[in-house]
Amino acid sequence: MEQLIARVKEIVNLCWGSFSAKVGGDLLSINKEASMQLHFAYILKNSMDLVIHHSNESVSIELEKGILVNQRMRECDIIIRIKKDEEEVILPIEMKCYKTISSSGKLRGAQDLFRYGIYEDLELLESYANKNENRLLGIQLTMTDNRNFVYPKSKKGKSWNYDVSHDTVIKNGIEINIPIGGKEASVKLIHDYHFNWVTKGEFYFLKLEAL
């Protein structure tokens, strides 16, 4: 099973690189998170057969799947079901997309909410992980055309405590209790992360996985 899981993660990484290159090269047009999910899932689904090396192995993909966490149902963007013989594990993927011009054609704001949302995704992924229920620690994928998230000219305001800029490192977890958009907000992470953005064309892409 460990080898199969490793192969699946390699394909996720390969597909994310392909998706990023296609978006950056204007081969894919992404206008919001929903289209990002669908296009990436399509590439993923059509590549997963590469990881199947034995007749007792199978991999399937589900979108917007509910996962029960602390008696509350949370909706995960993509889950990958990995099965070998009678053993099955779930690899969750959460995604975020921020376009400077929204799908309605208007200038998009709420940059603080978007940065917080990336941290919230990481917290969700950590909460999904449960060895007793065969759930793996998952992957967070983000794309944006807003350079300020990646290479900010300044980090004014408390919301930048949710720092997503290039080369940000979270070591030994982090706990932040900073209101966002006038509402209470907090995040607690227990794992290490390195924010390593990749530039493709006019877009920036981020893959976060616990170190």
Side-chain angles (χ1 to χ4, degrees):
M1 176 60 88
E2 289 78 11
Q3 291 181 351
L4 178 56
I5 292 170
R7 294 198 298 270
V8 169
K9 288 186 176 182
E10 286 176 4
I11 286 294
V12 171
N13 194 48
L14 179 66
C15 290
W16 179 238
S18 176
F19 172 86
S20 302
K22 288 177 182 293
V23 173
D26 293 326
L27 292 177
L28 282 180
S29 179
I30 306 298
N31 63 352
K32 56 185 177 181
E33 188 175 309
S35 63
M36 177 191 180
Q37 292 174 15
L38 288 173
H39 281 290
F40 179 71
Y42 177 81
I43 295 172
L44 200 58
K45 182 176 178 59
N46 284 281
S47 304
M48 273 303 171
D49 189 55
L50 296 172
V51 309
I52 305 302
H53 293 180
H54 305 281
S55 60
N56 61 345
E57 298 174 342
S58 66
V59 178
S60 60
I61 297 169
E62 298 179 37
L63 303 183
E64 303 293 345
K65 178 68 176 180
I67 298 179
L68 189 63
V69 178
N70 298 324
Q71 308 304 314
R72 181 183 175 189
M73 190 63 72
R74 307 300 298 263
E75 199 168 76
C76 184
D77 291 332
I78 298 175
I79 69 164
I80 303 175
R81 292 188 181 274
I82 307 167
K83 189 172 182 180
K84 187 177 180 71
D85 292 318
E86 298 304 314
E87 184 180 1
E88 182 182 69
V89 297
I90 291 174
L91 176 65
I93 298 176
E94 291 288 356
M95 309 183 80
K96 282 285 180 289
C97 174
Y98 186 103
K99 294 286 295 294
T100 303
I101 303 299
S102 70
S103 58
S104 66
K106 297 180 180 179
L107 187 66
R108 184 174 174 182
Q111 293 188 15
D112 53 350
L113 287 172
F114 180 73
R115 292 196 303 272
Y116 170 71
I118 295 176
Y119 276 74
E120 190 176 36
D121 274 0
L122 294 176
E123 186 178 53
L124 268 175
L125 289 169
E126 290 188 355
S127 68
Y128 292 155
N130 187 324
K131 289 183 179 180
N132 294 328
E133 297 181 20
N134 297 321
R135 300 198 304 239
L136 303 173
L137 190 59
I139 298 168
Q140 203 281 336
L141 303 173
T142 299
M143 64 165 283
T144 184
D145 62 353
N146 191 316
R147 183 179 175 84
N148 188 62
F149 290 125
V150 186
Y151 302 109
K153 293 180 180 179
S154 68
K155 297 181 181 180
K156 294 181 180 179
K158 291 182 178 180
S159 69
W160 266 104
N161 280 272
Y162 302 98
D163 192 352
V164 300
S165 61
H166 182 66
D167 224 20
T168 292
V169 174
I170 296 174
K171 194 71 175 176
N172 299 320
I174 194 171
E175 185 169 2
I176 310 172
N177 295 284
I178 301 293
I180 294 294
K183 297 181 180 180
E184 292 297 317
S186 64
V187 164
K188 184 176 182 180
L189 304 177
I190 62 175
H191 292 285
D192 300 346
Y193 298 93
H194 180 206
F195 289 67
N196 183 28
W197 291 85
V198 174
T199 305
K200 296 289 183 181
E202 298 180 355
F203 292 86
Y204 305 91
F205 300 87
L206 177 65
K207 175 176 175 283
L208 288 168
E209 195 169 359
L211 302 175

